[in-house]
């Protein structure tokens, strides 16, 4: 049986508020395999953002374990966790979150510079910009880009470390239906073309047909939808 690229096993997250305990995630289990694109849907406050943060090793669960490529990452040191995120996980944040004083090209170069691969990173950055139709915009700053272009830059940046896992948080939120669909199509294509695993948190039901599975989250619990 194929080992999942990403696995959450009996994951819970709770916070203490005085004498009360607030449960955000409750005994969550999920496996995502190579070449699989999974959508997580649910109402606001259901735990989607917390789920994605734990899946990406940005937040530690209160109970349970997270596995990346078969390795438990829950109890790794901060340094090791940073290395895993840098080398294995690509994040696409809602609203692109580009650095206003960096050009498109320099946005992409942040990760290879941090990873010590500046020269190889330049070649890959140019390749990605070409694939995403941004080659002519490489020297522009974010305020000179359209919403769709900014989101494509965010996708390119997330792919710069050639991650095994892609995590996208509401990638269509600031886009119209046509541009939003194109963005999700780009993610789906990357997943299939390079055999990656991806999770997308979304409210946008218009793009769910591009995903292999849809999982609902309600009151901190995952429910398989299809």
């Amino acid at each position: 049986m194929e080992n999942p690229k990403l696995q959450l096993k009996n994951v819970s997250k709770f916070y203490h508020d005085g004498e009360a305990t607030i449960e955000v995630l409750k005994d969550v289990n999920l496996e995502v395999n190579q070449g699989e694109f999974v959508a997580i849907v649910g109402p606001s406050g259901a735990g989607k953002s917390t789920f994605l943060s734990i899946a990406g090793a940005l937040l530690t669960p209160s109970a349970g374990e997270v596995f990346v490529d078969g390795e438990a990452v829950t109890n790794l040191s901060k340094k090791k966790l940073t290395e895993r995120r840098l080398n294995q996980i690509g994040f696409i944040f809602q609203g692109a979150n580009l650095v206003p004083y960096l050009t498109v090209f320099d946005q992409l170069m942040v990760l290879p510079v941090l990873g010590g691969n500046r020269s190889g990173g330049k070649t890959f950055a140019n390749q990605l910009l070409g694939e995403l139709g941004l080659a002519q915009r490489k020297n522009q700053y974010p305020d000179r880009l359209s919403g769709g272009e900014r989101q494509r830059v965010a996708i390119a940046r997330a792919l710069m470390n050639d991650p095994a896992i892609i995590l996208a948080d509401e990638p269509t939120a600031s886009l119209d239906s046509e541009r939003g669909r194109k963005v999700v199509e780009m993610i789906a294509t990357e997943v299939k073309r390079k055999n990656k695993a991806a999770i997308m948190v979304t409210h946008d039901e218009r793009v769910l047909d591009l995903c292999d599975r849809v999982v609902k989250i309600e009151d901190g619990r995952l429910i398989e939808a299809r």
Side-chain angles (χ1 to χ4, degrees):
M1 184 176 178
E2 185 180 13
N3 291 324
K5 296 296 289 183
L6 177 66
Q7 182 181 22
L8 281 77
K9 191 173 182 180
N10 304 122
V11 166
S12 295
K13 184 65 177 179
F14 52 82
Y15 299 95
H16 295 291
D17 183 10
E19 295 183 357
T21 299
I22 301 171
E23 292 185 287
V24 183
L25 294 179
K26 305 170 185 177
D27 198 30
V28 165
N29 290 278
L30 182 70
E31 295 183 358
V32 185
N33 295 313
Q34 284 185 329
E36 189 174 27
F37 188 14
V38 177
I40 306 291
V41 300
S44 298
K48 297 190 301 298
S49 295
T50 300
F51 167 85
L52 205 64
S53 295
I54 289 176
L58 292 171
L59 190 63
T60 302
S62 302
E65 290 189 286
V66 177
F67 297 85
V68 173
D69 257 346
E71 179 185 14
V73 300
T74 311
N75 296 315
L76 291 179
S77 66
K78 288 185 178 180
K79 181 180 179 181
K80 289 291 185 182
L81 275 176
T82 299
E83 290 176 355
R84 292 295 179 277
R85 289 193 295 266
L86 183 61
N87 296 318
Q88 293 179 281
I89 302 173
F91 294 93
I92 302 171
F93 297 104
Q94 181 177 343
N97 285 352
L98 302 182
V99 181
Y101 53 82
L102 294 181
T103 65
V104 167
F105 184 78
D106 288 338
Q107 305 276 348
L108 271 61
M109 287 300 297
V110 169
L111 283 177
V113 167
L114 289 174
N117 184 30
R118 184 188 296 267
S119 58
K122 289 181 179 179
T123 301
F124 191 43
N126 283 316
Q127 177 186 329
L128 280 174
L129 291 174
E131 290 175 355
L132 291 171
L134 292 165
Q136 302 302 317
R137 310 292 279 165
K138 63 182 290 184
N139 295 318
Q140 297 292 331
Y141 290 91
D143 64 351
R144 305 294 295 174
L145 304 177
S146 68
E149 287 171 335
R150 286 194 292 270
Q151 201 66 338
R152 276 184 279 161
V153 174
I155 291 175
R157 182 180 59 189
L159 300 179
M160 272 301 295
N161 58 350
D162 196 23
I165 298 163
I166 300 170
L167 302 177
D169 184 10
E170 300 282 4
T172 68
S174 59
L175 305 175
D176 61 36
S177 59
E178 182 180 355
R179 288 174 177 169
R181 187 169 183 84
K182 286 181 179 178
V183 161
V184 179
E185 284 175 346
M186 290 173 194
I187 299 171
T189 297
E190 182 70 13
V191 169
K192 301 303 179 185
R193 186 163 63 96
K194 293 191 176 179
N195 216 24
K196 299 181 183 297
I199 295 176
M200 174 181 65
V201 165
T202 185
H203 282 101
D204 193 347
E205 295 184 357
R206 299 168 297 184
V207 298
L208 295 182
D209 62 299
L210 297 170
C211 302
D212 299 302
R213 277 194 290 153
V214 178
V215 178
K216 291 183 178 180
I217 185 167
E218 294 180 3
D219 298 323
R221 298 185 185 277
L222 293 188
I223 304 166
E224 197 83 14
R226 65 167 173 83

